[in-house]
Amino acid sequence: MPDPVDIIVGRNVRALRSKRRISQLELGEALGLTFQQIQKYEKGTNRVSASKLHQIAVFLGVDISELFEGANPNDGAGKQGLSPEAYELAIYYDRLRSTAGKEAVKTILSIMSGETYAEALG
């Protein structure tokens, strides 16, 4: 299973690359990698080395910290016991701006699981 931080970094690489209209092939060529390796980085399947993170940041013209946006180093204790999929879902949930949208998500998940929040904790 991919580490949640690898998923976040990969998602950020993909978003920044797409925003600049750079293909996976172009990024891969700039880094001396195949586009398949870029795909694995972006999915979080493979970890990106420190030197490649630096190269990616330089090529995309961003500060390296932007590649880690959304990965809070103090969240380690809070995500214990969560699967990478649950953690990824939590990231998307936190990005919802609508209170009604958040309530709808909670309601849907409660209905699908057949449990209330209190029952799920208990």
Side-chain angles (χ1 to χ4, degrees):
M1 270 190 220
D3 185 277
V5 174
D6 294 329
I7 293 170
I8 291 167
V9 168
R11 185 176 45 239
N12 290 338
V13 168
R14 181 179 184 87
L16 292 164
R17 177 186 59 74
S18 296
K19 185 177 178 182
R20 285 157 181 75
R21 299 181 189 262
I22 296 169
S23 70
Q24 290 176 332
L25 181 61
E26 290 170 310
L27 180 57
E29 287 175 351
L31 302 176
L33 302 169
T34 65
F35 78 91
Q36 291 97 334
Q37 184 63 44
I38 300 300
Q39 284 178 332
K40 290 178 182 180
Y41 285 166
E42 290 182 356
K43 290 180 182 177
T45 306
N46 286 8
R47 289 188 173 167
V48 186
S49 70
S51 60
K52 289 296 181 200
L53 284 170
H54 180 261
Q55 290 174 354
I56 291 168
V58 168
F59 183 77
L60 295 177
V62 299
D63 189 84
I64 199 165
S65 64
E66 287 188 54
L67 301 178
F68 291 92
E69 189 153 317
N72 185 344
N74 298 322
D75 281 348
K79 65 181 181 187
Q80 288 179 352
L82 289 181
S83 69
E85 294 86 3
Y87 183 70
E88 185 177 8
L89 182 60
I91 297 291
Y92 289 123
Y93 178 85
D94 280 345
R95 289 185 179 171
L96 291 174
R97 292 194 173 116
S98 163
T99 303
K102 287 184 175 189
E103 288 302 316
V105 168
K106 290 192 294 188
T107 300
I108 290 167
L109 292 174
S110 174
I111 291 169
M112 290 176 69
S113 72
E115 296 180 312
T116 65
Y117 177 70
E119 292 169 337
L121 289 178

